[in-house]
Amino acid sequence: MFASVALLILIQSIPVVPVTVTSRNPKVEVHESSEAELSCEFKTERDRSPRIEWKKKDKDVSFVYYEGRFVGTFQKRARIDGATVHLREVTQADAGEYRCEVSAPADSITLGETNVTLRVLVPPHTPSCDVPSSALTGSLVELRCRDQHSIPPAVYTWFKDNRPLPIRHPNATYTLNEFTGVLTFQTVSRADTGQYHCEAKNGVGPAKSCQGTLMQIDDLNVAAVVSGVLLLCLLLLICSVGVCYARRHGYFSRHRGRSFWIPQCHGAAHISSQNLNRTEHTQHSGYSHPPKEPQDFKHTQSFML
């Protein structure tokens, strides 16, 4: 009898744990098209049938599991075991942060929650490569390689004639950024001629490469450049002489309102239309004004000395 009373007192003295929600794996990483487990475990104080909800936090919060069923795109490819969700055929759209909420109205603390982050790993795709087909010696040349889809982001290796280019080399004529995929030649030379291709890899799936492209490096034709410069100077000289000749002979004269502008090779004179018209009228009509004669004096009175 005494033992029973002691056991009852011991049971009542044990603190009751209110609703708690935890996850065995709060950060989940799976390959694309595989299955993901979003773990959620809970304990309640009194409520034996708590309400379980799953939500996805994106730009907005959307329901995944609500009122005992999956909603949206999760309906036909997800199942729940207790409060743990098993998701089949995951895609990149499924990646994000999920929240498991357990509501126990009969408990002193009625709500508990835990977060699970899902990251969907994507193997490399065939990268896009930008390789110039030709360049001149001494010029700056950049080769670019990029894969926009791989998760985590891919790292890149460049190959010349099917041989990998070291990222760091004491005598290298180039710089290579393995994270951006940019191969840079500050002053390219004929020795850099070859077939180039790039490889992308991220450890998720097999590496992928673009098709090789031949880059031809040619010497700068100095004789052709000098000839071009001389020809351009000759053309400019001929044009200058022609313009000067045309101005000397008045080919560039033009009428502006009531005045004429007559350009000359070493200057110009502005002649008003009024004076020009007067001169032309005098030359063509042959008329000239008679000279002024002294006035005749008429004697109206006689003077006697």
Side-chain angles (χ1 to χ4, degrees), residues 193-206:
T193 295
Q195 189 175 55
Y196 290 82
H197 78 274
C198 172
E199 180 185 82
K201 58 183 178 181
N202 67 348
V204 176

Side-chain angles (χ1 to χ4, degrees), residues 132-141 185-190 192-193 215-222 225:
S133 59
S134 63
L136 296 176
T137 55
S139 61
L140 172 66
V141 177
F185 295 90
Q186 293 293 338
T187 53
V188 74
S189 65
R190 293 193 64 182
D192 297 318
T193 295
M215 182 175 71
Q216 179 68 41
I217 309 300
D218 298 318
D219 288 329
L220 182 64
N221 193 337
V222 179
V225 173

Side-chain angles (χ1 to χ4, degrees), residues 21-144:
V21 183
T22 59
S23 176
R24 293 193 310 272
N25 188 10
K27 294 184 178 180
V28 181
E29 288 187 351
V30 296
H31 290 192
E32 193 175 29
S33 301
S34 63
E35 180 175 322
E37 180 185 87
L38 309 181
S39 171
C40 181
E41 298 177 347
F42 65 91
K43 293 180 180 179
T44 59
E45 181 181 357
R46 298 184 183 89
D47 202 327
R48 295 294 176 258
S49 299
R51 185 179 66 186
I52 300 171
E53 292 180 357
W54 275 92
K55 299 177 182 178
K56 183 181 180 185
K57 297 192 294 184
D58 222 337
K59 293 181 179 179
D60 299 318
V61 178
S62 58
F63 279 103
V64 175
Y65 183 81
Y66 178 67
E67 292 185 344
R69 62 186 182 87
F70 288 96
V71 298
T73 60
F74 301 92
Q75 289 181 358
K76 296 182 179 180
R77 57 191 185 95
R79 63 182 177 85
I80 194 165
D81 182 10
T84 298
V85 170
H86 298 269
L87 181 62
R88 301 186 306 272
E89 297 294 327
V90 296
T91 66
Q92 187 56 39
D94 297 325
E97 187 175 356
Y98 293 79
R99 184 171 67 229
C100 175
E101 297 180 356
V102 178
S103 301
D107 288 10
S108 57
I109 298 177
T110 60
L111 179 65
E113 62 181 38
T114 187
N115 293 328
V116 178
T117 301
L118 174 61
R119 189 183 188 197
V120 180
L121 305 179
V122 180
H125 289 59
T126 301
S128 60
C129 297
D130 183 12
V131 180
S133 59
S134 63
L136 296 176
T137 55
S139 61
L140 172 66
V141 177
E142 286 187 348
L143 285 67
R144 298 181 178 274

